[in-house]
Amino acid sequence: MIVPALTGRFPLTAGSSIQDILHAARQHLGMKVAFVSEFVGGRRVFRYVDCGTGERLIEVGGSDPLEESYCHWVAEKKLPELIRDPAEHPFTRHLAATKAVPVGAHISVPIRLRDGELFGTFCCFSQEPDRSLTERDLATMHAFAQVAGAQIQVAIDGRREKEAKHTRIRAILDAGNFDIVHQPAVRIDCGRVEFVEALARFRSEPVRPPNEWFEEATEVGLAAELETLVTGRALQTLEVIPETVSLSVNISPAMLAHGDLCDRLRSALPHRLILEITEHKAVGCYQALRDSLAPLRSRGLRLAIDDAGAGYSSFRHILELRPDIIKLDMSLCRGLERDSAKRALVSSLLSFSRAVGCEIVAEGVETEAELASLRRIGIMIAQGHLLARPARPVPGEFALAGAA
Ligand code: C2E
Ligand code: MG
Ligand code: MG
């Protein structure tokens, strides 16, 4: 039986371990070729091949019609798993490979998946007959096939999981079923809203934070599409906030290399925009990032490094990109009033920001005590549930309560 679910967009990634198993089986049996095949769409596809240093009789990715393969007829029980000499089995006369390859000794063991479906075969063959092969050799092949089958099952599970993720993200892209909420960053002394941060809220199952959806999209190669869509929607919300207030959007460094996005940002009033680049993501080439940002920054776009101090890319982004704003990770804020080391760190970051001429925003402020500590240190702008939870934007209004 063919397993159509296996013909997905993602390759099997069982890789090197199966290669080692094939090598061991081929050597143990003194055969010329060992391979793992997958039966797909009426063909036998060679997924893993070991020919040692000998002639490459078959290649990974090569295939032949199932009906012409020994493996198929072994799986159909028309041929035995152990063939010492094809001449002993009349059925082999029907198969062109017997003479064309030629096939001599042949041991093929069907690989079945957890649910009993036939994946393909674990197979070794030589071009000459080998009458020394025994039932014990066949039993050894079964053991090898079982180990390889277990590896393939893991790879297939991984591939199916990726397919499911791809389907979920594709559904979001097609339906656009997410919202943008706003959370204000507030000047502590007077309560004035400095900017609002746009945050995505995905309506799909499972319920989980937006960064997890973006990570999943990255895993299945749909990050650029998802971020472009979400950022586009976030930029539209500029219309519902007063002209005196900036909009801050989260963006991955990879997206900034995307021409599409830069065009959108250029036409979306850069002087009212802040781009938040998270510290979690590594930057491949800072120069390329600086180059994409330069024309936007010259038109007033501000750059923020998000989650600074979270312990990921450390301060490299800050030194390389010279942001206008450093957003302190909320872990630095948590219990600030009880932790003198955190206060010392926040205080030194404030000195650093003054020295390089950028602003500090404290994120995730949840208690009056944390806010009071920030104020004492001299941090002037804060964001967090204490001040306002993320909420659906209401034209001309900033709700300093309510949740989304
Ligand atoms: P972030 O940019 O650091 O956003 C701050 C997160 O902290 C938000 O989580 C916000 O809801 C949450 N938060 C705000 N105040 C408090 C507080 O007082 N206490 C606590 N515990 N949390 C608070 P959210 O919305 O779940 O977003 C998580 C992350 O997902 C964001 O972290 C950002 O990295 C990413 N993200 C969200 N929306 C977008 C988007 O549109 N595009 C991109 N690329 N990333 C996004
Ligand atoms: Mg952010
Ligand atoms: Mg943050």
Side-chain angles (χ1 to χ4, degrees), residues 318-337:
I318 293 172
L319 294 172
E320 297 271 2
L321 298 172
R322 296 304 171 106
D324 306 279
I325 297 167
I326 295 174
K327 295 189 79 177
L328 299 184
D329 188 67
M330 65 178 77
S331 61
L332 288 179
C333 214
R334 197 63 61 250
L336 191 63
E337 74 286 1

Side-chain angles (χ1 to χ4, degrees), residues 9 75 93 106 110 117 219-221 245 252 267 358 379 391:
R9 79 193 82 236
R93 278 201 299 274
H106 190 277
E117 281 178 310
E219 240 183 278
V220 297
V245 176
S252 69
S267 55
C358 71
I379 302 287

